[in-house]
Amino acid sequence: MITTPNRTSNWFTRAVSDIVGGLGQLLWPAKCANCGEHSVETGSGLCGDCWEGLTSVCSADYCRHCGRDVSPYVACEGICPNCRDEEIHFDGIARAGRYAESLRKMILAFKNDSTELGSIMVWLADTALQTSTFFNDIDFFVPVPLHWRRRFFRGYNQSYLLARGLKHHSAEISTDLVRIRNTKEQPTMMTVAARAKNVAGAFAVRYRHPFAGRRICLVDDIKTTGATLNECAKTLKEAGALKVYALVLSVAGQNNV
Ligand SMILES: [Zn+2]
Ligand SMILES: [Zn+2]
């Protein structure tokens, strides 16, 4: 016999939890997930200041080829003057914002075990994906891999967490791109050439990978010079990938040409 006690108890549990949650919020207002100081003012879990900082770095126009800030009047056929002569192996990029203000702080915390920021980071990445030029041109999301040793000590790959939260009607996640060399940490001041050398030959695809003739979207948290994304895209194309795009939370190094 079918009964409905669960529906009643679920309704009751939800109502009680809403009342208790509402009371709790009144008595002990939730603190901002970014600064931890001010009370949450928006539905995002952030205070007004952090939300404002976030929207300021996420609202600028950017070049769909390299991801840097660009005025729509300067881009020619979607390519900005900064990247016209660069060797870029990926076919397009989407970003949530510039690596500055509260977005920079949140990404650093997200990489350092602050998983409560995960839902905001996923929401930002997903918004960038939905408004990208290549949304309907993806077969696989491929998180930029960490070397197993770094992954082991950190406990998670932040790019995989981002990829897992993306909404798409058909694309699947593949982890068949691997990092075979544990590259040095890349300080912000490292030159473009030094970064490229640091990651050269650092990636490979697994035996029986699914990439031949497919369209890939790499997922990462930060693009600085693009050396890592470039090397990943090169490896995937050598494995037969048709197209490789990049989705990142933020783009740093605006002046690195
Ligand atoms: Zn805040
Ligand atoms: Zn550009």
Side-chain angles (χ1 to χ4, degrees):
M1 195 174 83
I2 300 168
T3 53
T4 56
N6 280 345
R7 196 183 294 172
T8 314
S9 68
N10 282 348
W11 171 86
F12 183 73
T13 312
R14 252 202 323 271
V16 170
S17 135
D18 282 354
I19 293 165
V20 172
L23 265 176
Q25 175 64 19
L26 215 68
L27 294 169
W28 306 283
K31 292 291 177 197
C32 169
N34 183 42
C35 64
E37 290 169 19
H38 306 119
S39 301
V40 170
E41 285 177 29
T42 63
S44 64
L46 300 177
C47 71
D49 286 353
C50 290
W51 178 250
E52 215 170 279
L54 188 64
T55 48
S56 75
V57 294
C58 291
S59 53
D61 279 316
Y62 66 92
C63 171
R64 303 289 169 146
H65 194 227
C66 70
R68 295 185 186 97
D69 283 0
V70 69
S71 152
Y73 306 108
V74 174
C76 174
E77 291 175 1
I79 298 178
C80 77
N82 278 336
C83 66
R84 201 160 290 150
D85 301 322
E86 271 180 54
E87 191 180 19
I88 295 180
H89 291 285
F90 45 90
D91 299 280
I93 189 166
R95 71 168 208 197
R98 199 174 345 116
Y99 190 56
E101 300 273 349
S102 39
L103 182 56
R104 178 174 180 276
K105 198 176 163 199
M106 278 191 257
I107 291 174
L108 287 173
F110 180 50
K111 278 166 87 125
N112 288 293
D113 208 23
S114 183
T115 37
E116 64 266 30
L117 285 169
S119 55
I120 305 175
M121 299 289 98
V122 165
W123 174 73
L124 285 171
D126 192 55
T127 306
L129 171 72
Q130 307 297 324
T131 54
S132 69
T133 52
F134 50 81
F135 181 79
N136 290 315
D137 204 28
I138 306 168
D139 297 311
F140 288 103
F141 290 114
V142 173
V144 169
L146 295 177
H147 188 263
W148 69 265
R149 214 174 299 152
R150 197 173 293 176
R151 159 82 180 71
F152 178 79
F153 286 113
R154 190 178 289 174
Y156 62 98
N157 176 359
Q158 72 279 4
S159 302
Y160 179 79
L161 292 186
L162 289 176
R164 215 178 47 178
L166 298 172
K167 296 183 187 79
H168 196 275
H169 50 88
S170 59
E172 293 169 18
I173 297 179
S174 169
T175 53
D176 285 326
L177 176 72
V178 291
R179 197 183 283 249
I180 50 174
R181 195 156 53 73
N182 197 9
T183 51
K184 285 184 276 185
E185 287 277 3
Q186 309 204 94
T188 322
M189 296 314 288
M190 202 183 230
T191 64
V192 177
R195 278 173 179 267
K197 196 174 166 204
N198 189 31
V199 294
F203 301 94
V205 294
R206 284 190 222 272
Y207 181 61
R208 290 192 179 165
H209 63 82
F211 302 133
R214 311 308 286 273
R215 301 156 304 172
I216 317 294
C217 177
L218 288 162
V219 181
D220 206 0
D221 51 359
I222 310 168
K223 169 192 178 266
T224 305
T225 62
T228 302
L229 290 170
N230 235 4
E231 191 64 25
C232 289
K234 199 170 143 215
T235 307
L236 288 166
K237 286 195 171 169
E238 281 167 3
L242 204 60
K243 295 270 184 185
V244 180
Y245 303 104
L247 171 69
V248 294
L249 276 178
S250 69
V251 172
Q254 296 291 321
N255 300 320
N256 273 330
V257 180

